[in-house]
Amino acid sequence: AQKVTQAQTEISVVEKEDVTLDCVYETRDTTYYLFWYKQPPSGELVFLIRRNSFDEQNEISGRYSWNFQKSTSSFNFTITASQVVDSAVYFCALSEALSGGASGSRLTFGEGTQLTVNP
Amino acid sequence: EAGVTQFPSHSVIEKGQTVTLRCDPISGHDNLYWYRRVMGKEIKFLLHFVKESKQDESGMPNNRFLAERTGGTYSTLKVQPAELEDSGVYFCASSHWVGFYEQYFGPGTRLTVT
């Protein structure tokens, strides 16, 4: 069975600090995808990034960067120069092929990390 | 383009009552998923529709839960009769493509069973 672990339940930083959210996953699949979602106070999950298991290049998007390391089964997320608007719950997720040979995928989520950025 | 919408945003019902949650996916998205987050735990998959067909309902907890997607547009998730452990946030998501593509989520329905 697949599993995603986000060991940090809550993180609190001061604005402009850098912060890294950890994500460790377990899967027996050779092909899989990893995702990060942000859940602001409004409640909806906002898609941030999707990475496939064959692409270990780090990715940077503005103040956001992601470090995918297959050797340690980790997909960590760093926010540089954090801002108050970054305060949210962040979820890491792993795709999983549906049962019975059906096409499509479902997401296996971690428990989320509550990030609070204080002014 | 409108996002995924869910109704109601909150629902408080008594144990034994029935509740129906509704999800309107992004227009044109054939894939619709239901997930649930209970007691601050991880978000767990419930089921997946492709158009009006149930592709996978292996995550449905028991037969008190019934999901439908008539006409392949909006979907409903009925809980009957509701139990205390059904409390949580129910999320709906949709995607255009089948496969390992990102899913777009709605704001969720917070269900409280007392």
Side-chain angles (χ1 to χ4, degrees):
Chain A
Q2 303 201 341
K3 185 178 179 182
V4 175
T5 301
Q6 295 179 254
Q8 305 148 309
T9 305
E10 296 181 23
I11 300 177
S12 183
V13 299
V14 177
E15 207 168 18
K16 297 184 184 176
E17 283 185 23
D18 297 346
V19 58
T20 295
L21 310 182
D22 297 333
C23 173
V24 174
Y25 63 92
E26 297 173 28
T27 180
R28 282 187 242 176
D29 292 347
T30 53
T31 301
Y32 53 89
Y33 282 74
L34 294 160
F35 300 79
W36 275 94
Y37 283 85
K38 173 183 179 180
Q39 185 185 33
S42 52
E44 78 280 12
L45 276 76
V46 178
F47 166 75
L48 295 178
I49 189 171
R50 176 182 71 126
R51 300 292 289 189
N52 75 58
S53 52
F54 298 105
D55 183 1
E56 287 192 70
Q57 254 190 328
N58 290 337
E59 180 149 344
I60 298 175
S61 176
R63 297 184 296 107
Y64 295 172
S65 62
W66 291 269
N67 183 312
F68 174 30
Q69 294 204 353
K70 224 168 171 177
S71 60
T72 56
S73 297
S74 65
F75 186 44
N76 296 337
F77 173 31
T78 297
I79 301 175
T80 303
S82 60
Q83 299 176 2
V84 173
V85 293
D86 296 327
S87 297
V89 181
Y90 290 86
F91 291 95
C92 180
L94 172 67
S95 64
E96 176 182 9
L98 296 178
S99 61
S103 58
S105 67
R106 62 178 171 185
L107 298 175
T108 298
F109 284 87
E111 293 193 5
T113 297
Q114 170 71 61
L115 173 65
T116 302
V117 181
N118 299 298
Chain B
E1 180 183 81
V4 177
T5 58
Q6 294 186 245
F7 181 83
S9 56
H10 293 87
S11 180
V12 181
I13 61 172
E14 293 183 356
K15 177 182 171 181
Q17 290 186 323
T18 298
V19 63
T20 300
L21 314 181
R22 173 172 170 143
C23 167
D24 286 79
I26 293 172
S27 178
H29 281 194
D30 289 340
N31 296 278
L32 187 148
Y33 304 82
W34 282 99
Y35 291 85
R36 178 174 74 168
R37 189 182 192 205
V38 174
M39 293 279 292
K41 294 291 187 182
E42 71 271 25
I43 300 168
K44 285 194 171 180
F45 168 84
L46 295 178
L47 86 159
H48 168 216
F49 283 98
V50 177
K51 297 185 180 180
E52 65 275 9
S53 299
K54 290 178 187 174
Q55 196 76 357
D56 183 356
E57 53 184 330
S58 61
M60 295 286 263
N62 52 61
N63 59 11
R64 294 185 294 102
F65 289 75
L66 175 64
E68 295 180 323
R69 193 182 181 194
T70 307
T73 54
Y74 71 91
S75 174
T76 58
L77 180 64
K78 180 191 287 188
V79 184
Q80 178 183 31
E83 299 288 345
L84 298 178
E85 63 264 25
D86 300 332
S87 295
V89 180
Y90 290 76
F91 290 101
C92 176
S94 71
S95 67
H96 183 58
W97 303 104
V98 171
F100 301 106
Y101 293 93
E102 57 270 25
Q103 298 171 19
Y104 295 91
F105 282 76
T109 293
R110 182 174 295 277
L111 175 64
T112 302
V113 183
T114 62

